[in-house]
Amino acid sequence: MRIGVLALQGAFREHLDTLRSIGVTGVPIRLPEDLTGVSGLIIPGGESTTMRQLIDRWDLREPILDLARRGAPLFGTCAGMIVMARDISGGDEPILPLLDIGVERNAFGRQLDSFETELPVPLLGDEPVHAVFIRAPIVDRTGPAVDVLARLEDGRVVAVRERNIVATAFHPELAGETRFHRLVATMASEHDDPGEGAGRRPHPTRRSGELR
């Protein structure tokens, strides 16, 4: 199994390292042909406006949308969440509108206002996730098909899933946290091999304890 990491800009190396640490082959994605044979895709943190420009420059928009339409899992962190949101604050056109959410950019302020915290994410087990927020967005709207995976203590939504699309406002890859990547790997495995007569499932049905 091979999982792609969009490697145009941002913290893609950390995602490749995290995939390697859990025994999954990560593939840097820079051109449409790089997507051939991948079972999922990670869109890293970075600068969403720059990502928009580079995705269009290298004709990656339709190939990525097609990958998602075929049921492969996509996982976005920080700017990756903005890239996949249907609504972006300020009226910007969506980039890859795969998630029925609205996002507010830089919701916590400047980079100096970055912080770390422990977040309960019941889907991933009882142990909290150590979350690193750096110029992070916040989810200010969720559609009816969107599952909220994590909230801050004040109730603000910072992790979501809609079928085969997962996104976090924070950076698990910068905290040594592997469970989101394990989740994506499980989803990719089930996409590749849904089981005899089962049909393809849009997201895994395994218990959270199996994702550790």
Side-chain angles (χ1 to χ4, degrees), residues 3-25:
I3 293 179
V5 179
L6 193 64
L8 303 177
Q9 188 260 348
F12 60 88
R13 291 181 185 85
E14 290 82 356
H15 283 287
L16 290 167
D17 289 345
T18 302
L19 289 172
R20 189 179 305 113
S21 76
I22 63 172
V24 174
T25 300

Side-chain angles (χ1 to χ4, degrees), residues 84-143:
M84 295 195 296
R86 188 170 297 175
D87 299 312
I88 304 171
S89 62
D92 286 356
E93 286 295 315
I95 305 168
L96 301 170
L98 295 166
L99 266 173
D100 187 12
I101 62 172
V103 293
E104 178 187 348
R105 302 180 203 252
N106 298 334
F108 300 95
R110 301 170 299 165
Q111 189 151 342
L112 289 173
D113 300 309
S114 301
F115 65 98
E116 301 180 24
T117 189
E118 303 296 317
L119 281 177
V121 185
L123 178 69
L124 302 183
D126 295 333
E127 183 180 346
V129 166
H130 187 72
V132 178
F133 289 81
I134 303 173
R135 296 182 62 199
I138 203 77
V139 177
D140 56 20
R141 181 191 66 79
T142 59

Side-chain angles (χ1 to χ4, degrees), residues 25 31 39 41 43 46 64 176 181 193:
T25 300
L31 298 169
S39 302
L41 178 67
I43 302 178
I64 293 174
H181 293 74
D193 184 14

Side-chain angles (χ1 to χ4, degrees), residues 172-191:
E173 79 285 358
L174 297 182
E177 171 59 61
T178 64
R179 282 174 288 171
F180 276 100
H181 293 74
R182 292 179 187 276
L183 170 64
V184 173
T186 299
M187 294 167 71
S189 178
E190 294 197 355
H191 168 70

Side-chain angles (χ1 to χ4, degrees), residues 2 25 39 41 43 45 47 49 66 71 75 77 80 93 97 112 141 143 151 156 167 195 203 210:
R2 301 160 75 241
T25 300
S39 302
L41 178 67
I43 302 178
E47 210 292 308
T49 300
D66 182 63
F75 174 38
T77 59
E93 286 295 315
L112 289 173
R141 181 191 66 79
R151 298 176 184 268
R156 288 184 289 180
H203 52 73
E210 297 182 57

